[in-house]
Amino acid sequence: MRAHGTPLTTLADARVTLLDLALGVPGPDRRWHGPAGTAGGRSPDPADRRPLLGEPLALDLLNTRWDAPAGTRDLLDDLDGYRIWLSSAGLAGLCPADGAALSATRHTREALQATLSPPYDQRRPGRAPADPDAVREVDRLLGRGALRYRLTADGPATTVEVDDPAWLAGWLALDDYLQLLGTAPERIRSCAGPHRLPLWFLDTSRNGMRRWCSMAECGNRAKAARHYRRLRAEQPAARGGARVAVG
């Protein structure tokens, strides 16, 4: 492998994982630090107008395509949108932002999307990705990169090595997907709302029963629709009960 190295450093008492990078908010015993010791983190780019932000990196990549009143929107349609996504994902300055990288990331998104078929709910044990060809393609893309662990004078260090820097963002997203499958597969969900394109989220609710990408949007619309259907069902009964027999 002709390695393109991207350094990630970790505290001496915590093994780095790329899920830390993707989530931005580390677990209780893990912290990710970016290049030159800069604290890692994610905050949405002000220009990012997608309906769902801040999900783990793999799911956030899938959410770069979404439904809008005017039709399907795609943040990765052009380089400006790709740079916005890199900024929101916390990858600006870490991953290339040129045409080759955009093409590689779009390909990665297609391969990842093909492994998931909405409505997707992994609460059922043993649920497998839908498309074996997509699984093989994701596995092939993962082979384009690797993690290298080293000991330096400053302590443990980890380097992401990819055979072509254009694939770095996509490889990080796929690594994050594997982290999610390894730690919380039952929490990967697609929104139960009436989306032509699904929005994906990691269910972090206490009871693990979240159904909507947003309660304020899809959840409230579903509640309103149920309420309307209930009223419609009750109205005929109410009209029938109001009749008075005349002898």
Side-chain angles (χ1 to χ4, degrees), residues 61 76 82 85-86 100-110 166-170:
L61 176 58
L76 304 189
Y82 182 55
W85 177 71
L86 289 176
L102 171 59
S103 177
T105 305
R106 285 176 62 96
H107 180 82
T108 302
R109 181 181 65 180
E110 297 307 312
W167 292 91
L168 180 57

Side-chain angles (χ1 to χ4, degrees), residues 145-157:
L147 293 178
R148 181 185 174 208
Y149 301 101
R150 301 184 298 119
L151 181 63
T152 72
D154 296 323

Side-chain angles (χ1 to χ4, degrees), residues 105 112 151 162 170 184 205 214:
T105 305
L112 178 57
L151 181 63
V162 289
S205 66
S214 168

Side-chain angles (χ1 to χ4, degrees), residues 4-34:
H4 168 77
T6 300
L8 308 174
T9 60
T10 181
L11 299 182
D13 62 346
R15 178 185 178 276
V16 71
T17 73
L18 295 182
L19 183 58
D20 299 339
L21 168 63
L23 293 175
V25 180
D29 59 348
R30 298 180 305 190
R31 293 183 186 179
W32 177 84
H33 284 238

Side-chain angles (χ1 to χ4, degrees), residues 18-19 22 56-62 85 91 104-116 134-145 147 160 162 167-182 188:
L18 295 182
L19 183 58
L57 185 61
L59 307 184
D60 190 66
L61 176 58
L62 295 176
W85 177 71
L91 300 177
T105 305
R106 285 176 62 96
H107 180 82
T108 302
R109 181 181 65 180
E110 297 307 312
L112 178 57
Q113 179 75 70
T115 68
L116 299 167
V135 173
R136 284 190 287 271
E137 178 62 7
V138 166
D139 189 56
R140 185 186 73 82
L141 296 178
L142 284 165
R144 302 194 68 125
L147 293 178
V160 180
V162 289
W167 292 91
L168 180 57
W171 192 90
L172 290 169
L174 293 180
D175 181 86
D176 177 60
Y177 180 50
L178 263 61
Q179 294 277 355
L180 294 177
L181 290 177
I188 299 174

